[in-house]
Amino acid sequence: MLAQLFLSLLVASSPASAFYLPGTAPRDYVPGEKIDVFVNTLTPMLNSKLRSLVSYDYYEPRFHFCEPEGGPVKQPESLGSILFGDRILSSPYELRMMENSTCNTLCRSVVLKDDAVFINERIKEDFGLNFIIDGLPSSERRKDSKTGEVYLDAQGFNLGDDETDPDRPALNNHYDIYIQYHARDASHFRVVGVMVYPRSVDSVSTESTGPDCFASQSLHLSETTDNSFFYTYSVSFIPSDIPWGLRWDAYLHVFDPKIHWFSLVNSLVIVGFLVFMVGMVLYRTISKDIHRYNTIDLADDVQEDYGWKLVHGEVFRMPNRPMVLSVFVGNGAHLVSICVVTLIFALFGFLSPSNRGSLATVLLICWTFFGCVGGYVSSRVYSTLGGDQWKPNLVLTAVLFPTIIFSIIGMLNLFLIGAGASGAVPFGTILAILLLWFLISIPLSVAGYFYGLRHGAFTNPVRVNPIPRQIPPKPWYLRTFQAAILGGILPFGAAFVELYFVLSSLFGNRAYYAFGFLFLTFLVVALTTATVTVLFVYFILCAEEYRWHWRSFLIGGGSAFWMFAYGVWYWASRLSLDSFTSVVLYFGYL
């Protein structure tokens, strides 16, 4: 059974998409049938460096994009999709199955000189457009320079080009749309790929009232006068042997799989060594000593010669601020349960990329329903630490962390609103999350808390001395914050390679699909954190420092310091955020 489980994890970690479960039913088109084209928000693209974290609605008035007759129609979206900034709307593009066309006129647009400044700035920030056709994102075919694999980059396509002349960026106003189709029979076809290649064309001709899509001149928006030009597009249908069920394979590209494997193997070696050390310590010293101490009458003046054995009667003494510690531990158990369930769903392909926002939706649902886990753990830990004020502990367990997080995200949302970004969470979505919190999460947290009270405290294996011992001076590396920073190095080292890809996905608008690697990395980090914490606590007790509770919590969370430091390095090396709003958003979310 263990061998089968390990083999399944290895298969899921590979770049293949064997576990992909389509989230929508396939649609068959007949020749001439309309194919809907939806538009999403304009997002900054991660090319050489990311220059902004603010996204814009496609129909932001300053862009002057062509609108459908009667105005754009908002498409239904999941809660997670809205939280991640999707704003999907209808468009005026006319695509019909198996009908190629060239130089279709979308509309004639007039851009004022002030709006031209805004558009040129967005071009310099590498903003990209995002189309959605039959559930597939618009993409460009690219080749991985390291593996040679051809894949479809789903970041979208550029709003314009500033590489040729940085002082005069060119606006892409013509789109060559290529639709890959798979023929089921002579009259039924399925869309299996979407590619869009933009061009900048100064298509206004003095000799004709229509556009010239093959003009050699690029379109440069003037910032001193108003601009008038055409938006045009061409459509080509390309046959493909890819079946509909495998159409996402070209999008599910894992960059540098060898780096993933190298990092994972290196982490497994580290964690194997740590587990061996901790196992030897527990087996050879602690387990047999605990049994012996329980048989000793504490009234006798029995003391050992060295180490942690001197404080065996102090280790379960009540720590400082037991209520806050129990709330932290309970919410930590809540978060861990969310991560485990979500990663298992993602690992086996249930969070299909065709269901936009499914990952965030599942995270939110798990957070709502797993409040009982936080309440249960907090209740039992608080009882074990000797606390007796259960009512304040219950309230803090249910509301402390969500209140802090909602306050921070609310502040960041104000920055998004001030910048006119489409990523600002609408009031209706905020209200829905608050209702989930108050009507489901808090009642479940209360139920879990009372269930924990019924089970009572965990049984301590060693009795507590009536009089506390004096604590001798300890080495600098065993002090609270120094130990936390040192203890966080190994857990962070086990995850920093995967963290790079996660940050690129969160801030660089790149889809993340290596959930097999992420799940294995999560297990390695959890095991590394546990073993490092046990080792440091053992060293602390050997130094006759019995106040280990808060130290164990902070040592386990010490990797957060290194993660934030890594985020600062990522900001300095991979990002070039020019606006104050983008900097605040990055460090706020980090």
Side-chain angles (χ1 to χ4, degrees):
M1 182 64 71
L2 290 175
Q4 292 177 351
L5 177 61
F6 185 68
L7 181 61
S8 300
L9 292 175
L10 289 180
V11 173
S13 301
S14 67
S17 58
F19 286 94
Y20 166 60
L21 301 177
T24 56
R27 177 175 176 179
D28 293 337
Y29 294 89
V30 298
E33 184 177 357
K34 183 181 178 181
I35 303 175
D36 291 324
V37 179
F38 300 109
V39 292
N40 203 348
T41 55
L42 276 75
T43 54
M45 301 175 67
L46 180 60
N47 293 321
S48 58
K49 281 193 174 185
L50 191 68
R51 294 184 171 91
S52 177
L53 292 180
V54 178
S55 57
Y56 292 95
D57 190 277
Y58 182 85
Y59 292 110
E60 159 70 39
R62 289 173 290 182
F63 284 116
H64 297 277
F65 287 127
C66 306
E67 297 187 7
E69 294 183 6
V73 179
K74 191 176 185 341
Q75 303 303 305
E77 303 170 51
S78 66
L79 192 59
S81 179
I82 296 174
L83 288 175
F84 268 48
D86 286 339
R87 303 293 183 267
I88 303 175
L89 302 164
S90 60
S91 75
Y93 292 89
E94 291 283 342
L95 274 67
R96 299 193 177 275
M97 177 58 73
M98 303 303 294
E99 293 184 2
N100 297 330
S101 58
T102 303
C103 201
N104 298 313
T105 301
L106 205 58
C107 72
R108 184 160 187 164
S109 179
V110 177
V111 175
L112 305 178
K113 56 183 180 180
D114 293 335
D115 294 338
V117 176
F118 171 79
I119 295 175
N120 287 335
E121 287 297 322
R122 303 293 81 77
I123 294 174
K124 294 177 181 179
E125 292 176 346
D126 282 339
F127 268 74
L129 283 71
N130 298 277
F131 291 176
I132 300 174
I133 301 176
D134 195 56
L136 291 176
S138 55
S139 61
E140 292 183 341
R141 187 186 295 273
R142 296 188 179 181
K143 185 176 182 179
D144 194 324
S145 59
K146 295 185 178 180
T147 63
E149 182 181 356
V150 177
Y151 67 97
L152 297 180
D153 189 352
Q155 281 196 98
F157 53 94
N158 289 92
L159 173 65
D161 176 30
D162 67 333
E163 293 183 359
T164 305
D165 187 355
D167 296 327
R168 298 182 65 223
L171 174 67
N172 292 326
N173 61 324
H174 177 84
Y175 311 124
D176 292 315
I177 303 174
Y178 296 90
I179 306 295
Q180 291 180 310
Y181 67 90
H182 179 76
R184 293 194 64 201
D185 51 46
S187 58
H188 293 86
F189 307 92
R190 291 177 176 175
V191 176
V192 295
V194 176
M195 294 172 288
V196 180
Y197 296 94
R199 288 190 285 123
S200 178
V201 181
D202 191 0
S203 54
V204 176
S205 174
T206 56
E207 301 177 357
S208 174
T209 57
D212 179 10
C213 297
F214 303 99
S216 58
Q217 290 294 111
S218 299
L219 175 63
H220 301 279
L221 297 181
S222 173
E223 299 180 0
T224 57
T225 60
D226 295 343
N227 304 268
S228 178
F229 57 92
F230 288 99
Y231 275 108
T232 56
Y233 67 99
S234 301
V235 182
S236 300
F237 287 86
I238 305 173
S240 175
D241 295 330
I242 301 174
W244 188 91
L246 300 179
R247 65 178 188 166
W248 278 93
D249 281 15
Y251 295 90
L252 308 183
H253 178 69
V254 179
F255 292 91
D256 292 337
K258 292 183 179 179
I259 293 181
H260 290 275
W261 281 115
F262 177 79
S263 171
L264 192 59
V265 171
N266 181 60
S267 301
L268 287 173
V269 172
I270 294 175
V271 76
F273 176 71
L274 285 172
V275 170
F276 175 77
M277 287 182 60
V278 172
M280 292 299 295
V281 168
L282 294 178
Y283 177 75
R284 298 189 61 180
T285 59
I286 299 179
S287 60
K288 56 184 180 183
D289 288 339
I290 286 178
H291 175 71
R292 186 169 75 251
Y293 289 138
N294 281 331
T295 62
I296 293 177
D297 186 359
L298 293 180
D300 298 335
D301 189 15
V302 178
Q303 292 198 3
E304 301 292 340
D305 293 332
Y306 62 92
W308 72 275
K309 302 171 185 180
L310 292 171
V311 295
H312 70 273
E314 312 290 341
V315 292
F316 294 108
R317 191 176 301 281
M318 179 186 291
N320 294 328
R321 299 180 179 84
M323 182 178 297
V324 179
L325 180 60
S326 63
V327 171
F328 283 8
V329 174
N331 281 270
H334 187 183
L335 292 176
V336 169
S337 60
I338 293 172
C339 293
V340 170
V341 173
T342 304
L343 283 174
I344 289 176
F345 273 94
L347 175 67
F348 291 103
F350 292 103
L351 304 184
S352 167
S354 61
N355 291 330
R356 301 185 68 88
S358 58
L359 181 65
T361 302
V362 170
L363 279 171
L364 192 59
I365 292 174
C366 289
W367 168 77
T368 302
F369 286 98
F370 288 171
C372 54
V373 176
Y376 176 82
V377 173
S378 177
S379 172
R380 298 204 65 183
V381 170
Y382 187 57
S383 299
T384 303
L385 297 179
D388 55 2
Q389 299 179 358
W390 64 270
K391 291 182 180 179
N393 184 250
L394 169 60
V395 174
L396 289 176
T397 300
V399 305
L400 178 61
F401 269 98
T403 300
I404 294 174
I405 297 301
F406 286 165
S407 300
I408 294 174
I409 293 180
M411 181 194 68
L412 297 177
N413 203 49
L414 292 178
F415 277 91
L416 289 171
I417 294 174
S422 65
V425 181
F427 176 76
T429 303
I430 296 176
L431 182 61
I433 296 175
L434 290 176
L435 289 176
L436 288 175
W437 180 26
F438 282 105
L439 300 182
I440 301 178
S441 181
I442 289 181
L444 286 176
S445 180
V446 172
Y449 194 92
F450 281 108
Y451 188 69
L453 285 179
R454 288 181 55 188
H455 283 74
F458 295 101
T459 302
N460 293 331
V462 178
R463 290 169 292 182
V464 179
N465 290 334
I467 301 176
R469 291 177 53 88
Q470 291 185 346
I471 301 173
K474 50 188 174 295
W476 66 269
Y477 56 85
L478 292 182
R479 295 173 184 170
T480 303
F481 293 105
Q482 289 90 328
I485 293 175
L486 291 175
I489 294 177
L490 287 179
F492 170 76
F496 83 96
V497 172
E498 211 62 37
L499 182 62
Y500 171 82
F501 295 98
V502 172
L503 290 178
S504 298
S505 174
L506 287 175
F507 299 111
N509 195 35
R510 276 186 173 172
Y512 183 88
Y513 301 118
F515 289 111
F517 289 113
L518 187 63
F519 183 78
L520 291 175
T521 303
F522 173 80
L523 295 180
V524 170
V525 169
L527 194 55
T528 305
T529 302
T531 51
V532 167
T533 303
V534 170
L535 277 178
F536 266 87
V537 169
Y538 178 71
F539 296 150
I540 289 170
L541 294 178
C542 286
E544 301 181 36
E545 168 63 88
Y546 54 82
R547 297 173 300 183
W548 61 274
H549 298 83
W550 275 106
R551 284 175 169 81
S552 68
F553 183 85
L554 294 174
I555 290 169
S559 57
F561 169 81
W562 298 103
M563 181 180 294
F564 190 84
Y566 184 83
V568 174
W569 175 85
Y570 186 86
W571 166 69
S573 62
R574 294 290 291 161
L575 308 182
S576 181
L577 304 179
D578 299 326
S579 67
F580 176 74
T581 299
S582 294
V583 174
V584 171
L585 289 173
Y586 176 77
F587 284 102
Y589 288 127
L590 182 64

